[in-house]
Amino acid sequence: MPTGTNPAISVTGLRKSYGSHRVLDGIDLTIPQGTVFSLLGPNGAGKTTTVQILSTLVKADAGEIRVAGHDLAEEPDKVRAAIGVTGQFSAVDSLLTGEENLRLMADLLHLGRTAGRARIRELLERFDLTDAARKPAAAYSGGMRRRLDLAMTMVGTPRLIFLDEPTTGLDPRSRRTMWQIVRDLVEQDGVTIFLTTQYLEEADELADRIALLSQGELVAEGTPQELKRLVPGGHISVRFADADGYRRAAPHVGATSRNDATLTVQIPGTGGVRTLKNLLERLDSQAVEVAELTVHGPDLDDVFLTLTKEPSR
Ligand SMILES: Nc1ncnc2c1ncn2[C@@H]1O[C@H](COP(=O)(O)OP(=O)(O)OP(=O)(O)O)[C@@H](O)[C@H]1O
Ligand SMILES: [Mg+2]
């Protein structure tokens, strides 16, 4: 039985090839229960393949994998009973209504008539689909479809949910709605989320930990903050108090850009304590007054572009 201290997922030495194409080349992962883990990587990096393996849909070539407290190779049925998968491509049947799609899931899971009906009502309510419940899914917007897809995944009350690019193609508002749904699943239901995404902002918003997949390997793993510290790309922004100080100092601080109108310069660097101290001492010794100094860390885009390569063909 899984206990509170068991990780939701642990993986060592996961490998998978399609023919001579090595897609996953020795992946190690540990994901604690009740957390959001995000797998990032360029197109074709192997994110969906990883989800398919961890959710028992595709067989690994090698590796020790435990999901929801069970050995994946020995007890795939038990793994399947504990997880939910919302795939990259919608599982929603367009010809059926939202309610019928949910009932189909409830029937597949043998929930029984009364329990099934109660669960469906609850999920329609929770995912804000009650008004649209009797309309065919073909008439749903992209955001509604995604919500229905996730509601279908939730019918069986999974403890661990795989979301493969859950917000691709959604507008910013629908994306934010989806983010809130994911946060609620973790905070209210204690669900563990394994999320893949193309949107670095999304991983930054939701994930406790992020791993970057590139050419079959995890090239970086950590909290969003830890990953951002891995690459240079940040800058220090200094606004001078007066035009005289700006004129005297701005050419000598190693700025990459200057704005004469706002008396501001940008200096590349991640703002280490020593750099900042040196800078301020230098300006002070020249009697130059600083009105404002801000440090901007690199964002996940910098990390992504620095650490991932184009997948080989
Ligand atoms: N069934 C398959 N047969 C052969 N090759 C496959 C199969 N499934 C995936 N691949 C290959 O494995 C690689 C990884 O694919 P995968 O779908 O896991 O990438 P991904 O990271 O999910 O990409 P995307 O961001 O585009 O969704 C690709 O080169 C793909 O062509
Ligand atoms: Mg994919």
Side-chain angles (χ1 to χ4, degrees):
M1 273 305 280
T3 70
T5 51
N6 269 341
I9 296 178
S10 70
V11 173
T12 27
L14 168 58
R15 285 172 204 284
K16 176 73 186 176
S17 296
Y18 283 111
S20 62
H21 181 189
R22 201 171 292 168
V23 179
L24 300 173
D25 195 12
I27 302 286
D28 301 326
L29 274 182
T30 305
I31 302 173
Q33 287 185 36
T35 64
V36 179
F37 174 85
S38 177
L39 188 62
L40 283 174
N43 287 129
K47 302 182 295 297
T48 297
T49 304
T50 307
V51 167
Q52 287 171 332
I53 291 171
L54 297 181
S55 60
T56 78
L57 298 173
V58 163
K59 250 182 148 42
D61 296 338
E64 292 219 357
I65 305 170
R66 290 185 72 80
V67 176
H70 305 286
D71 187 286
L72 192 79
E74 281 167 21
E75 302 183 303
D77 290 345
K78 291 205 168 133
V79 170
R80 235 168 270 144
I83 66 171
V85 186
T86 304
Q88 185 167 5
F89 303 102
S90 172
V92 172
D93 186 330
S94 300
L95 297 178
L96 301 180
T97 67
E99 192 172 359
E100 286 165 348
N101 269 290
L102 287 166
R103 191 173 311 132
L104 196 66
M105 287 305 292
D107 289 348
L108 282 173
L109 292 163
H110 307 295
L111 279 201
R113 214 176 153 76
T114 320
R117 206 174 280 164
R119 184 76 180 136
I120 290 166
R121 201 176 315 119
E122 180 195 332
L123 287 167
L124 286 169
E125 188 70 32
R126 174 166 190 174
F127 290 88
D128 198 16
L129 291 168
T130 306
D131 291 343
R134 302 268 161 92
K135 290 188 187 128
Y140 285 18
S141 70
M144 290 162 76
R145 230 182 142 78
R146 273 292 173 187
R147 295 207 301 278
L148 176 59
D149 213 354
L150 187 50
M152 287 165 66
T153 304
M154 287 300 290
V155 170
T157 16
R159 304 303 302 148
L160 165 61
I161 299 179
F162 294 91
L163 297 173
D164 197 1
E165 301 199 24
T167 67
T168 297
L170 296 191
D171 68 38
R173 189 185 304 275
S174 303
R175 178 166 303 145
R176 275 169 181 74
T177 305
M178 205 64 176
W179 290 352
Q180 194 51 49
I181 288 173
V182 170
R183 283 193 200 101
D184 289 346
L185 287 174
V186 177
E187 276 157 30
Q188 293 168 18
D189 307 48
V191 168
T192 308
I193 306 277
F194 186 108
L195 169 91
T196 79
T197 180
Q198 299 282 344
Y199 300 107
L200 304 163
E201 184 199 2
E202 179 160 298
D204 206 359
E205 281 281 333
L206 293 178
D208 296 295
R209 295 187 78 77
I210 297 173
L212 265 177
L213 189 59
S214 177
Q215 305 207 322
E217 291 174 20
L218 294 184
V219 290
E221 209 249 324
T223 65
Q225 289 310 320
E226 284 167 351
L227 289 190
K228 286 179 208 169
R229 280 200 292 270
L230 281 181
V231 301
H235 65 267
I236 304 161
S237 176
V238 180
R239 184 162 63 81
F240 292 87
D242 53 77
D244 173 58
Y246 173 76
R247 225 175 2 251
R248 285 190 289 128
H252 310 296
V253 290
T256 46
S257 77
R258 289 161 61 174
N259 185 328
D260 296 346
T262 59
L263 308 180
T264 305
V265 299
Q266 291 200 352
I267 305 162
T270 43
V273 175
R274 186 182 296 269
T275 320
L276 287 176
K277 193 160 163 279
N278 286 346
L279 176 67
L280 290 174
E281 275 173 3
R282 191 137 43 93
L283 295 175
D284 201 39
S285 71
Q286 296 169 320
V288 171
E289 225 182 296
V290 169
E292 190 182 11
L293 184 148
T294 48
V295 176
H296 303 260
D299 63 17
L300 278 180
D301 281 306
D302 296 316
V303 182
F304 187 84
L305 293 170
T306 307
L307 296 181
T308 65
K309 300 181 196 125
E310 288 274 321
S312 57
R313 291 286 100 205

